[in-house]
């Protein structure tokens, strides 16, 4: 029967496929020469001192002996027997994750057509409960160069009990996995280190992949940035550039914009270079200068007052999501409340657990704690109620504070408005203060990857395969010299234990991968210091536009990374 052209047209218009996504699939990511020929050879890379803490040596005695590895192109061909490898996506989604799987899959198939890749579903829980699928060439082709973690899903489960570890061992043993690739941020790579130590018995090697849009998984000199950061920043920069465009046209709104990034302010810094806002807060600077929340409010208000005097009652303000952690008096309360909640929940029944209690009872419980001082109460009660409620939110399974759920931009906006009212009463402010508040976070981490992240993810997948094929375990795959063209990237295996330190989590010190904060001595921040006064006073807005995949605008890398590679 001849097809109905009207129906065909309707199906095309209403179908799930988009031209954009279909077009993206045709791009074959570029590989650096050291990986292009296959698994390659690993050899220790001398000259870099990686120290391991005693506590890491005690908890991870086997993998603590790992030496930094570089990967060289293929040496003499070796017999290869088929391998079965597992991969898990872990933590928040980050654009480029599907290309890590594609790189791992293609490298495995290139080495041996019978090699298999197993994908665990919904994050680490998929390993614990053995929920998996076999990854096929069709799946890889379908998801290539696309955003999100749809192929397998993700989750934040911490493998933190002997029972969970035993279940992981059973799953890997039953599936006869010779390798497991954990794609994740600091907490997921912490999981990877402990898995590597504990899965030796069943013959499963473990490699971590540096992923997080937050950009805080870095190793100075070895790993400049994790994958996903560039794409998320470009998605946020598109939005902020559009706000710049609106406020420069309509001349009437102050846009208070919060950007994702749980702790460090790498995202805000990158988006600032991409868009040139009027105000940019950097958490690490606030911490160094020991600013209180009221001085942060004043810092914003001063720019608003100065611009009003010049007749400019509009502008854009960038607020990193993790800023509260860097404001000392707020962070002290976050740490104390985390401790009190964890201590209380250890003995409370499920029905009476902290977050089942009414707000007033929660405050009372905190007030009664031995570690809570009168001073803490005064600070807490002096905060706007939005912030008070935010500080009590449930911590995640790793003990992290949920910064993404606190409307910091609204809290600051309201505090700035109050301050400006007082300034107006004193005759010091005569402007109009009309505002909009925005949050960009989940949208950016679900965006399509930039070409940079497509290539980066793909090369990381190949690097992971190479490390596994060469017998490595307890390493993070990395590529050096990301500021250069792909042809100059150099694949590495960075041992996980030297990246670990002790960190306060749920009131206890835990051995975890350390987050890297914005380096205030690096060129990028120094250049921001030089530029921002000009951006505050004038309208030097930059409009980066949407992520491109073709033409010269597609060939970009993070600005901060490029500035930092210039040296002082
Ligand atoms: P990862 O470190 O796992 O990549 O996740 C980062 C992040 O997107 C943060 O920027 C954000 O604060 C947090 O996850 C949100 O977590 P959740 O997904 O639990 O809401």
């Amino acid at each position: 029967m001849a097809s109905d052209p009207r129906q065909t047209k309707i199906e095309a218009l209403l179908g799930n496929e988009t031209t954009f996504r279909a077009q993206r699939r045709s791009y074959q990511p570029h590989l650096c020469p050291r990986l292009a020929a296959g698994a390659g050879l690993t050899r220790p890379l001398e000259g870099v001192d990686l120290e391991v803490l005693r506590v890491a040596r005690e908890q991870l005695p086997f993998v603590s002996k790992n030496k930094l590895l570089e990967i060289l192109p293929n040496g003499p061909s070796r017999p290869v027997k088929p391998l079965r490898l597992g991969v898990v996506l872990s933590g928040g989604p980050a654009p480029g994750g599907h290309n890590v799987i594609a790189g791992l899959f293609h490298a495995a198939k290139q080495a041996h057509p019978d090699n298999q890749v197993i994908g665990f579903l919904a994050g680490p829980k998929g390993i614990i409960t053995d929920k998996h699928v076999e990854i096929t060439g069709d799946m890889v082709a379908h998801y290539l160069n696309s955003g999100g973690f749809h192929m397998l899903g993700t989750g934040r489960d911490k493998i933190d009990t002997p029972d969970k570890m035993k279940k992981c061992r059973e799953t890997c043993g039953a599936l006869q996995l010779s390798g497991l690739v954990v794609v994740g941020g600091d907490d997921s790579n912490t999981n990877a280190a402990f898995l590597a130590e504990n899965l030796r018995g069943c013959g499963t090697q473990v490699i971590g992949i540096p992923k997080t849009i937050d950009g805080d998984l870095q190793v100075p000199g070895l790993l400049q940035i994790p994958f996903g950061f560039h794409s998320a920043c470009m998605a946020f920069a598109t939005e902020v550039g559009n706000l710049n465009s609106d406020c420069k046209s309509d001349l009437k709104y102050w846009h208070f914009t919060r950007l994702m990034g749980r702790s460090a302010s790498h995202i805000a810094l990158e988006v600032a270079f991409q868009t040139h806002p009027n105000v940019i807060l950097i958490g690490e600077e606030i911490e160094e200068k020991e600013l209180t929340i009221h001085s942060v409010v004043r810092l914003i208000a001063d720019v608003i007052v100065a611009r009003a005097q010049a007749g400019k009652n509009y502008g854009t303000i960038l607020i990193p999501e993790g800023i509260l952690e860097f404001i000392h008096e707020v962070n002290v309360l976050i740490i104390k409340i985390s401790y009190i909640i964890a201590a209380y929940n250890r003995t409370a029944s499920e029905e009476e657990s902290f977050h089942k209690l009414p707000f007033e009872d929660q405050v009372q419980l905190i007030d009664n704690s031995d570690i809570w001082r009168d001073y803490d109460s005064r600070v807490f009660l002096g905060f706007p109620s939005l912030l008070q409620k935010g500080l009590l939110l449930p911590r995640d399974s790793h003990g992290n504070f949920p910064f993404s759920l606190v409307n910091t931009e609204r809290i600051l906006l309201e505090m700035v408005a109050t301050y400006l009212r007082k300034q107006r009463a004193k005759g010091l402010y005569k402007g109009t203060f009309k505002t909009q508040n925005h949050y960009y976070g989940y949208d950016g981490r679900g965006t399509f990857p930039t070409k940079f992240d497509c290539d980066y993810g793909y090369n990381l997948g190949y690097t992971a395969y190479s490390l596994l094929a060469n017998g490595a375990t307890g390493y993070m795959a990395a590529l050096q010299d990301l500021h250069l063209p792909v042809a100059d990237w150099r694949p590495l295996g960075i041992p996980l234990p030297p990246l670990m330190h002790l960190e306060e989590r749920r009131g206890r010190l835990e051995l975890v991968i350390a987050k890297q904060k914005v380096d205030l001595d690096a060129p990028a921040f120094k250049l921001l210091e030089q530029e921002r006064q000009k951006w505050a006073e004038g309208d030097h807005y930059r409009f980066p536009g949407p992520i491109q995949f073709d033409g010269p605008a597609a060939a970009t890398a993070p600005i901060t990374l490029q500035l930092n590679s210039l040296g002082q």
Side-chain angles (χ1 to χ4, degrees), residues 42-55:
T42 53
R43 77 165 181 210
L45 181 62
E46 305 297 342
V48 185
D49 210 16
L50 293 174
E51 245 180 77
V52 183
L53 291 184
R54 192 165 60 117
V55 55

Side-chain angles (χ1 to χ4, degrees), residues 431-499:
T432 52
F433 186 54
K434 289 169 86 175
T435 59
Q436 298 287 341
N437 54 282
H438 314 266
Y439 172 47
Y440 300 116
Y442 295 96
D443 45 350
R445 72 182 199 182
T447 195
F448 281 92
T450 56
K451 225 168 196 171
F452 174 83
D453 275 328
C454 288
D455 290 338
Y456 187 16
Y458 195 70
N459 280 267
L460 284 171
Y462 256 79
T463 304
Y465 179 79
S466 174
L467 290 167
L468 290 171
N470 283 281
T473 187
Y475 283 87
M476 185 162 69
L479 288 136
Q480 243 184 337
D481 294 334
L482 290 168
H483 57 284
L484 299 176
V486 180
D488 297 318
W489 291 359
R490 290 185 299 149
L492 299 177
I494 304 176
L496 287 166
L499 314 183

Side-chain angles (χ1 to χ4, degrees), residues 35 119 157 159 222 278 322 456 472 475 522 528 562:
L35 295 170
D157 293 84
I159 304 172
L222 299 175
N278 301 104
Y456 187 16
Y475 283 87
L528 178 82
Q562 296 182 62

Side-chain angles (χ1 to χ4, degrees), residues 90-92 156 185-186 211-214 260-262 321 404 442 445:
S90 181
R156 288 197 185 278
D186 50 334
K211 167 239 71 165
T212 173
I213 66 156
D214 295 0
M260 202 175 237
R262 195 204 314 270
E321 156 181 291
S404 64
Y442 295 96
R445 72 182 199 182

Side-chain angles (χ1 to χ4, degrees), residues 145-159:
N145 307 318
S146 68
F149 276 3
H150 323 177
M151 190 203 270
L152 301 174
T154 186
R156 288 197 185 278
D157 293 84
K158 190 169 165 67
I159 304 172

Side-chain angles (χ1 to χ4, degrees), residues 23-268:
Q23 187 198 2
R24 275 184 159 247
R25 287 200 191 100
S26 61
Y27 174 67
Q28 174 55 44
H30 294 168
L31 267 181
C32 68
R34 289 193 180 200
L35 295 170
L41 291 173
T42 53
R43 77 165 181 210
L45 181 62
E46 305 297 342
V48 185
D49 210 16
L50 293 174
E51 245 180 77
V52 183
L53 291 184
R54 192 165 60 117
V55 55
R57 284 202 302 274
E58 282 163 7
Q59 293 187 28
L60 301 163
F62 178 74
V63 293
S64 283
K65 296 191 192 102
N66 282 347
K67 298 271 174 280
L68 179 66
L69 296 175
E70 66 174 332
I71 296 170
L72 301 170
N74 258 350
S77 65
R78 293 171 299 160
V80 198
K81 70 172 174 48
L83 303 174
R84 187 185 273 176
L85 308 173
V87 61
V88 63
L89 301 171
S90 181
H98 290 143
N99 280 29
V100 174
I101 299 178
L104 177 70
F105 181 87
H106 288 157
K109 292 291 181 189
Q110 184 178 337
H112 197 298
D114 294 334
N115 279 346
Q116 282 179 298
V117 181
I118 302 291
F120 288 102
L121 301 175
K125 159 166 95 233
I127 315 176
I128 298 168
T129 57
D130 191 9
K131 297 274 185 309
H132 69 266
V133 288
E134 180 174 347
I135 292 172
T136 64
D138 282 350
M139 283 164 78
V140 167
H142 181 77
Y143 286 102
L144 190 68
N145 307 318
S146 68
F149 276 3
H150 323 177
M151 190 203 270
L152 301 174
T154 186
R156 288 197 185 278
D157 293 84
K158 190 169 165 67
I159 304 172
D160 55 352
T161 63
D163 184 51
K164 287 186 203 166
M165 192 54 83
K166 180 169 158 272
K167 290 192 167 124
C168 290
R169 256 198 313 274
E170 283 165 6
T171 301
C172 294
L175 289 171
Q176 297 183 324
L177 293 187
S178 50
L180 174 65
V181 177
V182 179
V183 182
D186 50 334
D187 290 325
S188 311
N189 275 280
T190 300
N191 271 343
F194 282 97
L195 281 167
E197 186 72 28
N198 283 279
L199 294 183
R200 285 183 306 126
C202 63
T204 309
Q205 301 153 234
V206 183
I207 299 297
I209 298 280
K211 167 239 71 165
T212 173
I213 66 156
D214 295 0
D216 55 8
L217 187 48
Q218 304 178 5
V219 185
L222 299 175
L223 172 67
Q224 289 151 298
I225 208 79
F227 84 80
F229 171 80
H230 184 233
S231 311
C233 287
M234 290 310 295
F236 300 147
T238 302
E239 301 296 348
V240 176
N242 294 346
L243 294 180
N244 284 343
S245 171
D246 187 79
C247 82
K248 180 69 187 149
S249 310
D250 213 8
L251 311 175
K252 70 178 182 206
Y253 286 123
W254 273 97
H255 292 277
F256 281 64
T257 305
R258 173 169 51 114
L259 299 174
M260 202 175 237
R262 195 204 314 270
S263 177
S265 300
H266 298 290
I267 290 180

Side-chain angles (χ1 to χ4, degrees), residues 202-382:
C202 63
T204 309
Q205 301 153 234
V206 183
I207 299 297
I209 298 280
K211 167 239 71 165
T212 173
I213 66 156
D214 295 0
D216 55 8
L217 187 48
Q218 304 178 5
V219 185
L222 299 175
L223 172 67
Q224 289 151 298
I225 208 79
F227 84 80
F229 171 80
H230 184 233
S231 311
C233 287
M234 290 310 295
F236 300 147
T238 302
E239 301 296 348
V240 176
N242 294 346
L243 294 180
N244 284 343
S245 171
D246 187 79
C247 82
K248 180 69 187 149
S249 310
D250 213 8
L251 311 175
K252 70 178 182 206
Y253 286 123
W254 273 97
H255 292 277
F256 281 64
T257 305
R258 173 169 51 114
L259 299 174
M260 202 175 237
R262 195 204 314 270
S263 177
S265 300
H266 298 290
I267 290 180
L269 183 61
E270 173 68 20
V271 175
F273 284 120
Q274 294 284 355
T275 61
H276 302 179
N278 301 104
V279 180
I280 151 89
L281 303 178
I282 296 292
E284 289 80 348
E285 182 187 22
I286 288 171
E287 182 179 49
E288 195 191 63
K289 294 187 171 160
E290 298 179 8
L291 300 186
T292 62
I293 195 159
H294 293 288
S295 34
V296 172
V297 166
R298 171 103 193 255
L299 192 147
I300 299 172
D302 285 350
V303 175
I304 294 172
V305 170
R307 282 180 66 87
Q309 279 163 3
K312 294 173 188 285
N313 289 298
Y314 59 88
T316 48
I317 301 174
L318 297 189
I319 301 162
E321 156 181 291
I323 199 170
L324 297 176
E325 186 180 294
F326 295 97
I327 301 174
H328 180 71
E329 78 270 23
V330 182
N331 197 32
V332 168
L333 298 196
I334 290 176
I335 293 171
K336 286 193 175 188
I337 294 170
S338 296
Y339 177 89
I340 296 167
I341 295 175
Y344 171 79
N345 280 347
R346 269 196 282 278
T347 52
S349 66
E350 173 58 26
E351 299 75 54
E352 289 186 339
S353 62
F354 187 85
H355 291 99
K356 298 260 168 76
L357 304 175
F359 178 70
E360 295 68 31
D361 293 2
Q362 293 177 344
V363 174
Q364 189 60 53
L365 207 144
I366 288 170
D367 226 20
N368 291 343
S369 165
D370 290 348
I371 62 164
W372 195 255
R373 304 272 172 266
D374 288 349
Y375 175 77
D376 298 326
S377 285
R378 280 200 299 280
V379 174
F380 184 79
L381 295 173

